[in-house]
Each structure stands twice: as structure tokens, then as C-alpha cells.
Amino acid sequence: MRTPDVRNSPFSFTRPAAALAAAAVLAGCASLSPDGGSADVQALVGANPLLAGATAQRALDAASQQRVDELLARPLDAEAAVRIALLNSPRVQDAFATLQLSDADRVQAASLPNPVFAFGRLTEGSEREIDRLISFNVVGLLTLPWQARWAGQRHESAKLQAAQGVLVLAADTRRAWVRAVAAQQSAVYLRDAKEAAEAGAELAHRMAQAGNWSALQRTREQLLLADAAAQLARAEQAAVASREQLTRLLGLSGERAAGYTLPDRLPPLPKAAPELGDVQALALRDRLDVRSAQAQNTAVAGSLGLTHATSVINAMELGVARNTTFDNGADRSRRTQRGFELALPIPIFDWGQARNGRAEALYLQSAARVRDVGVLAASEAHEAWQGWNTAYGIARRYRDEVLPLRKKVNEEMVLRYNGMLASVWELLGEARASMLAVNAGIEAQRDFWLADTDLQLVLTGSSPGGMTALQTAAAAAAGDAPAAGGH
């Protein structure tokens, strides 16, 4: 991907009148967004399949809490879980608060610098002097259009990052929901397997007491029971942990956290794999972290030009002075002096080399991150697509081959047992094997839906692991605005 090279871009103040007019227009137009940017974020993520039509809520209110209660009143499917997270999760409010901070910075950057009023009173003998000075930061005024444009570019990047945060939350919620339902479903089947092992162990104990079984046969059944109990304990703990993870993402506590219910099973697999075309091209075109990196790079490029222009003289103040001297003697005379004052820094020790070097390093760093996130997006898209196909193939094999064959074997074993051609031990063993196969099928189905969520996020949002290092670096660079005097 190409990034703009502005290290040698011209930046001049040859038209101060035009700059002053543009500054006045910017100062008159700049205002805070009434919705904090939530409409822009919704426009970026509204059609994303991860959200399924849900809307991210900027702040908690009575209506949103009522909607949460309505969704919690019935078994929670994946779409309802995402809706609750976008209405109630603190992560959404944090993302919008960060966007609101960026909006405030944008407006501040487009605001005219305030004039400075200075007042002094000096006394010498019978004379008293009063000095008054009103000064303006001229460089800050001339650079206002560039400061405003730079802040606007940064705000566009902040919108993309907020939208990415919403998508990551939706993906995390879907994953947590899938894990919670699968863990709950596995615990049910492993509980049945433990009951079958208990029946076998009890029967083995009675057979051993009657002298019909050896100690080895009895010990094997006890070992099966102990293993089934351990697997059930792990499954129940996994069910609790996955449910609590989902609860945290939903932002629930108290009775709400304890009272909601989940479906008994995961949704069925899709009938066929979708044709997505070139997934790498889709990721490079649609991923929000790629667009955010490009917007961030554009903003850094703009700030580099401003830093070059103000590297030597980054402050200049022009003031209007009026000094009045009073004579408290007999004649009560008064003298008034009028004039102007111009203040400029003298570039003796600092010629701006460090500021220029830092600005160029920031630009090179930003350009490298654009390339890095592009490589990351293309590679992750290919990996996620392959993972999706693999998980889909395994889950379909369990659904279409393994589980039907296991069911058929189980039915044949029951027929053989009814015909006195198989023992009760063979029947119990086959029941345990069937339950474990069903549990393996549940895990395959779970892995597919996790892979499906990862693929959707990789193609439209960011890395499946969450926010990338680019967002952390962009947040750290938020305070690197080029300084051209103060407001």
C-alpha cells in the first residue's frame, strides 16, 4: 500500500490574509458533535454481520436497560447477546468516551487563540506608571487551518478505532456465547456418561461380591468411573468459567448475571460454505484497522509539514501597548505612550533539528505500521479462511458420518442385547462411547462457530485476538500534536 511522502512537501505562509480568513471560518464552524460521533460509528459498522443489525449505545439510559431486561427474559441466543453487550457493556461507553475526547481535541484545534491581556503598575517617587498590553499569538493564528485539518484527520482515525472497538466487542461476545453454550452442552453429555459409568461400577461391585468377577475386571470399571467423574468436573468448571466470561462482556451483575439462561445447544451448521472470493483483497479493502492505519498515516504526514514550517520560529506574538504615567506632584500632569510590541524567539541554541527529526521519525514509524498492518491483514485473512474451511469440514464429518454411524452402532448393540447376543457390559461401554462421540461433535461444532466469528472479524474489523498493537501506538501518539505556539 502506498503512503504519502511529505518529508519534502512545501509549507509556506505566503498568503497570511487567506490563512486568517480560513482561520476565522474554521473557528466559526467548529463545534462538538451532538451525539459524540455515535452516528458515524454506526454508519461504519451497521451492515457488519457480527452485529446482526444491533446498535451500539453511547450511554446508559432507562430505555436501554428496559431493552436489556426484555432480551434477558428468554433464552439468550448469539444475536441477543451481542445486542446486550452493545447496550450495556462498559467497553462500549469507554470507546465512545475516547471518541468524544478526540472530538473535543478537534474543536480545540480549530478554535482561535485567545488574546492575552497584561497589566502593570510601577511607582517611582511621585510618579506612577500604568502599563496595558493586549497581545496575540500570530503563529498560532496563521497555523490554525493546518492545526484544524490535522486534528480532523486524527478524529477520522479515532472514529475508525471506535468502530473497530465495537466490532471486537461483538466478536468477543459471540465467541464467549459459543463457548458458554458448548460447555453447558458438553457438561450435560458428560453427566450422562458419568451416570453410565456409575451403573457399570455398581454392577461390577455386585458381580465381584457374588464371585462372578475378578478384581481386575472390577478395578477397570472403577477406573472408568473415576475418569468420567474427572472429565465431568472439568466440564462443569469450564461451563462456569465460560458463562462468567460472557457475563463480564455483557456488563451484567447481581440478579441479572445469575438469572439469564442459555439455549440447550449450538445452532446448526450452514448447509454450504459461502463463496467469499479473494478474502485477502476483501480484508485489505474493508478491514477497519487497515483504514485506521491509513488515516493515522495521513494525519502524521500533515503534522510533519507543519513541524517543518515552524521548526525555527514556532511562536510570534504581536501586541498593542498603552502606557500612562501620572505625576502626583503639584501640577498633576499625565503622559500617555502608545505603540506595539513584537515578540520573537531568537534561534540561537535550538534550530528545530530535534523537532524535525522527531516528526520525521513519527512519520516513518506510521508508514511502517501501515505496511505492517497490510501484511497482517492479508495473512490473517488467508489463515482464517483456511481455518474456517477446516473447522467446517470436521464439523460436517461429525454431523454427517461419525454421529450417524455411532447411532447406528448403538442401535445394533441394543438389538443384540435384547436378543441376548451381547452383555450388559458391552451395552454400557457402547453407551459411554456414544456419549463421548457426541461430546467430540459438540466441540467440533463449537470450533466451527469460533472460526466463523474469527473470519468475519478478520475480513471487516481487525485481528481475531482483539485490538492490534497499531491501536496502542496510535493512542500513545495522540499527544504528539505539532506545537506552534499556545492558545
Side-chain angles (χ1 to χ4, degrees):
M1 287 178 294
R2 298 181 58 187
T3 55
D5 188 354
V6 299
R7 285 172 286 180
N8 298 317
S9 62
F11 193 100
S12 65
F13 302 107
T14 57
R15 298 182 179 179
L20 290 173
V25 171
L26 285 170
C29 295
S31 61
L32 293 172
S33 300
D35 62 352
S38 58
D40 295 326
V41 172
Q42 188 61 32
L44 289 169
V45 302
N48 195 284
L50 288 172
L51 270 64
T55 302
Q57 186 74 24
R58 177 187 172 194
L60 298 177
D61 54 26
S64 64
Q65 294 306 301
Q66 181 179 358
R67 179 58 179 157
V68 169
D69 291 333
E70 292 174 356
L71 292 171
L72 292 174
R74 52 183 181 270
L76 201 64
D77 59 18
E79 285 71 24
V82 171
R83 291 179 185 275
I84 292 175
L86 296 184
L87 288 172
N88 197 57
S89 175
R91 282 172 55 177
V92 173
Q93 279 77 56
D94 180 79
F96 280 121
T98 303
L99 181 59
Q100 192 171 354
L101 287 174
S102 174
D103 191 35
D105 291 340
R106 175 188 64 84
V107 174
Q108 183 65 45
S111 300
L112 288 170
N114 291 324
V116 178
F117 175 72
F119 177 84
R121 183 179 185 277
L122 304 175
T123 303
E124 182 182 1
S126 62
E127 289 187 349
R128 183 175 72 253
E129 182 178 346
I130 298 178
D131 300 337
R132 288 146 292 180
L133 175 68
I134 297 180
S135 61
F136 298 87
N137 184 346
V138 179
V139 171
L141 187 64
L142 291 175
T143 59
L144 184 63
W146 289 271
Q147 292 275 14
R149 183 175 62 183
W150 182 86
Q153 291 168 342
R154 288 297 300 261
H155 187 55
E156 291 301 317
S157 177
K159 290 179 185 177
L160 290 167
Q161 291 175 25
Q164 187 182 348
V166 170
L167 289 184
V168 170
L169 173 62
D172 288 345
T173 303
R174 283 184 177 273
R175 293 193 200 98
W177 181 88
V178 168
R179 292 191 179 101
V181 174
Q184 174 184 273
Q185 194 174 352
S186 293
V188 171
Y189 279 97
L190 289 175
R191 197 172 292 117
D192 293 340
K194 179 176 177 291
E195 291 176 358
E198 287 176 342
E202 176 63 23
L203 184 57
H205 176 70
R206 293 180 181 180
M207 295 283 287
Q209 283 184 333
N212 296 327
W213 263 36
S214 66
L216 176 61
Q217 292 173 306
R218 176 183 177 183
T219 303
R220 284 174 176 170
E221 292 299 322
Q222 290 175 333
L223 181 61
L224 288 174
L225 174 59
D227 183 62
Q231 291 188 41
L232 176 60
R234 283 195 292 265
E236 289 177 340
Q237 175 56 33
V240 171
S242 57
R243 180 185 173 93
E244 289 302 320
Q245 182 186 12
L246 176 61
T247 300
R248 290 192 294 271
L249 290 169
L250 298 179
L252 302 178
S253 61
E255 295 181 358
R256 278 177 163 181
Y260 73 88
T261 59
L262 295 172
D264 295 332
R265 62 189 68 237
L266 291 170
L269 299 175
K271 295 182 179 179
E275 292 293 336
L276 295 181
D278 190 346
V279 294
Q280 293 179 324
L282 286 174
L284 291 174
R285 185 192 67 188
D286 296 337
R287 266 179 63 148
L288 292 180
D289 60 347
V290 174
R291 296 167 61 184
S292 177
Q294 293 170 339
Q296 179 74 17
N297 183 253
T298 302
V300 173
S303 69
L304 176 59
L306 181 58
T307 302
H308 281 326
T310 60
S311 60
V312 177
I313 298 178
N314 63 351
M316 179 174 66
E317 292 189 357
L318 178 64
V320 179
R322 178 185 175 93
N323 299 336
T324 304
T325 303
F326 299 89
D327 188 350
N328 291 330
D331 56 354
R332 294 286 184 176
S333 62
R334 181 175 66 178
R335 301 187 307 276
T336 301
Q337 297 175 319
R338 300 177 181 84
F340 68 91
E341 182 178 295
L342 181 64
L344 287 172
I346 302 175
I348 297 178
F349 307 108
D350 183 6
W351 285 83
Q353 299 96 327
R355 286 193 298 274
N356 284 335
R358 186 174 187 277
E360 290 182 2
L362 284 174
Y363 172 75
L364 292 174
Q365 185 184 60
S366 176
R369 285 171 179 158
V370 171
R371 292 192 294 272
D372 179 63
V373 77
V375 171
L376 182 70
S379 175
E380 286 183 342
H382 183 263
E383 179 184 358
W385 176 239
Q386 293 299 322
W388 191 98
N389 279 287
T390 300
Y392 182 66
I394 293 173
R396 282 194 61 182
R397 186 171 294 276
Y398 269 94
R399 183 193 66 182
D400 299 339
E401 298 179 25
V402 176
L403 295 182
L405 289 174
R406 177 57 65 182
K407 181 180 178 182
K408 184 176 181 180
V409 169
N410 193 42
E411 291 173 350
E412 289 295 326
M413 184 59 68
V414 171
L415 291 176
R416 289 175 62 83
Y417 174 75
N418 291 335
M420 301 182 69
L421 298 177
S423 68
V424 66
W425 310 110
E426 293 175 312
L427 183 62
L428 288 174
E430 186 57 41
R432 286 194 297 266
S434 296
M435 292 171 190
L436 293 177
V438 170
N439 188 61
I442 294 170
E443 292 178 350
Q445 195 175 6
R446 175 203 64 194
D447 292 342
F448 165 75
W449 286 115
L450 293 176
D452 182 73
T453 300
D454 288 345
L455 178 62
Q456 295 297 337
L457 183 62
V458 161
L459 293 181
T460 59
S462 69
S463 295
M467 302 293 277
T468 63
L470 178 69
Q471 281 68 50
T472 304
D480 290 331
H487 278 192

